Amino acid sequence: RLVKCFVPSTCPAITFCRKMARYSSSSLRAMSTGQAELKKMNLVGAVNDGLRIAMETDAQAVVFGEDVGFGGVFRATAGLQEMFGKERVFNTPLCEQGIAGFAVGMAAMGATPIAEIQFADYIFPAFDQIVNEAAKYRYRSGGQFHVGGLTIRTPYGAVGHGGLYHSQSPEAYFAHTPGLVVVIPRSPAQAKGLLLASVRDPNPVIFLEPKALYRAAVEEVPTGDFTLPLRCAEVLQEGSDVTVVGYGAQLRVLQAACDRAKAELGASCELIDLRTILPWDAETVCASVSKTGRCVVSHEAPVTCGFGAEVSARVQESCFLKLEAPVRRVCGYDTPFPLSLEKAYLPGVDRCFAAIKETLEF
């Protein structure tokens, strides 16, 4: 776990990772599991299954947070205390700073803490522990100490009725912090594979779960132990006219917008899921934009200084001579998250489709 993850892009491990990301999800899952046994799961069930396997395969793994012993507000930890006992799955006080600080201390002593922040909106009291302690622990000790076993899970994003304090997307705050890995899955199979990879990664990981998708749909998920590569984007749909980039819950919106663009405009959209936004796979995105000449990036978080701004800047720097149109960002507005105007606030299918159309017609 003393191995650093932030290595040059020419590193053989990163090159292998990018090659792996070219495979379809089904092929990658088959390679990872080495078995064909699948089970239908929703996203919260896949997270629960991933936590179970993490604890079965690592005797130092511990799960804790507000109400997790009872299964948690979303039931993501249901049944784990009965399986592994109260010493490994336990409730904490309602103190996010304490949860994160306790997790940092456990990881520093060699344990594998998997801490839950009940809602991403309430992660801000823990910001100092995450950004100033966990992220810098290895660097400030010259590699002598680390908290690489630390994973912090938290549900993020709109849910339809969350309002100001249960709908936010804080990923960009953490993407600005060297030393962290920030992961956001889009589906049940991705959630399980990426969660297990996060728990086993030699760096502290912020694992953001799109709560709107917890029970939105089911898919077949391998029942065994498998991981999916971090730091690697996945091309979900190949295309030639425009590159469309997103992550997490926004992928279902972008897929619908791409389908509409094909039906109404005859447009061929290349859809990319970033999956990890720190470090993010700029090489895959820029290779796609160099091919299509156009790029649309979308997320729920506010547009100003959202992660889409980083994608836009990097594409402009790397693909300027190949661009046929300005990079478009389709994001939340620069306001607090509104309860009564949630549908207008969110970058829905209509707004994403309009951005694709305008980019193609530029």
Side-chain angles (χ1 to χ4, degrees):
R1 288 185 182 271
L2 291 177
V3 179
K4 285 189 176 182
C5 75
F6 299 100
V7 294
S9 59
T10 54
C11 171
I14 296 296
T15 302
F16 173 75
C17 179
R18 286 172 177 151
K19 288 181 179 178
M20 290 289 285
R22 294 173 188 163
Y23 290 93
S24 67
S25 295
S26 58
S27 297
L28 187 54
R29 289 199 299 268
M31 287 189 296
S32 300
T33 59
Q35 59 163 319
E37 186 177 351
L38 304 171
K39 181 181 179 181
K40 287 186 176 181
M41 301 182 192
N42 57 23
L43 196 144
V44 74
V47 168
N48 181 275
D49 201 42
L51 291 171
R52 175 187 61 80
I53 291 175
M55 299 191 74
E56 286 178 346
T57 57
D58 183 352
Q60 298 298 313
V62 179
V63 172
F64 54 89
E66 298 165 9
D67 299 326
V68 300
F70 312 133
V73 67
F74 293 106
R75 312 303 296 165
T77 56
L80 295 181
Q81 190 176 80
E82 290 77 7
M83 292 182 195
F84 300 103
K86 294 183 178 180
E87 291 186 352
R88 295 185 65 193
V89 182
F90 51 87
N91 299 328
T92 66
L94 274 66
C95 179
E96 286 78 13
Q97 183 180 20
I99 294 170
F102 183 66
V104 169
M106 287 195 72
M109 298 306 295
T112 307
I114 307 171
E116 178 182 299
I117 302 296
Q118 197 168 80
F119 287 88
D121 310 62
Y122 299 121
I123 203 169
F124 300 113
F127 198 76
D128 178 65
Q129 289 295 321
I130 296 169
V131 170
N132 275 335
E133 303 300 334
K136 297 175 174 62
Y137 214 91
R138 178 182 283 123
Y139 183 85
R140 73 177 186 176
S141 70
Q144 296 182 74
F145 311 106
H146 67 96
V147 293
L150 170 61
T151 303
I152 296 178
R153 297 176 41 251
T154 186
Y156 86 97
V159 70
H161 50 267
L164 292 171
Y165 299 119
H166 298 83
S167 306
Q168 297 176 81
S169 300
E171 65 273 8
Y173 292 102
F174 299 105
H176 193 65
T177 306
L180 298 177
V181 178
V182 182
V183 181
I184 310 176
R186 69 174 185 271
S187 70
Q190 292 285 316
K192 181 178 176 180
L194 291 172
L195 177 58
L196 284 168
S198 297
V199 171
R200 295 162 183 173
D201 192 82
N203 299 276
V205 177
I206 307 298
F207 192 83
L208 293 159
E209 299 165 6
K211 59 179 176 287
L213 303 186
Y214 269 157
R215 293 177 173 83
V218 299
E219 72 174 346
E220 290 189 332
V221 179
T223 58
D225 186 349
F226 75 103
T227 61
L228 294 173
L230 306 182
R231 307 167 184 81
C232 298
E234 182 179 359
V235 178
L236 302 181
Q237 173 179 300
E238 294 190 356
S240 58
D241 295 329
V242 58
T243 299
V244 181
V245 182
Y247 50 83
Q250 194 62 12
L251 263 298
R252 60 176 179 171
V253 175
L254 293 175
Q255 182 66 70
C258 290
D259 293 344
R260 182 175 170 186
K262 180 178 181 180
E264 297 185 18
L265 307 174
S268 174
C269 301
E270 182 145 301
L271 181 59
I272 298 178
D273 177 10
L274 291 180
R275 301 198 292 187
T276 305
I277 67 167
L278 183 70
W280 72 286
D281 187 358
E283 183 176 312
T284 293
V285 173
C286 290
S288 175
V289 176
S290 294
K291 177 180 68 173
T292 65
R294 298 173 175 85
C295 182
V296 174
V297 58
S298 181
H299 53 65
E300 290 184 11
V303 62
T304 299
C305 294
F307 194 73
E310 169 63 22
V311 176
S312 178
R314 183 70 66 87
V315 167
Q316 187 273 339
E317 290 170 356
S318 301
C319 309
F320 182 75
L321 296 178
K322 298 292 183 69
L323 286 172
E324 301 290 342
V327 179
R328 289 294 305 272
R329 289 177 290 161
V330 191
C331 309
Y333 296 111
D334 290 334
T335 70
F337 198 100
L339 176 60
S340 62
L341 298 174
E342 179 172 311
K343 290 184 178 179
Y345 174 89
L346 290 173
V349 176
D350 288 344
R351 284 175 58 194
C352 292
F353 170 76
I356 292 171
K357 183 179 179 181
E358 291 167 10
T359 300
L360 290 169
E361 294 176 348
F362 181 82

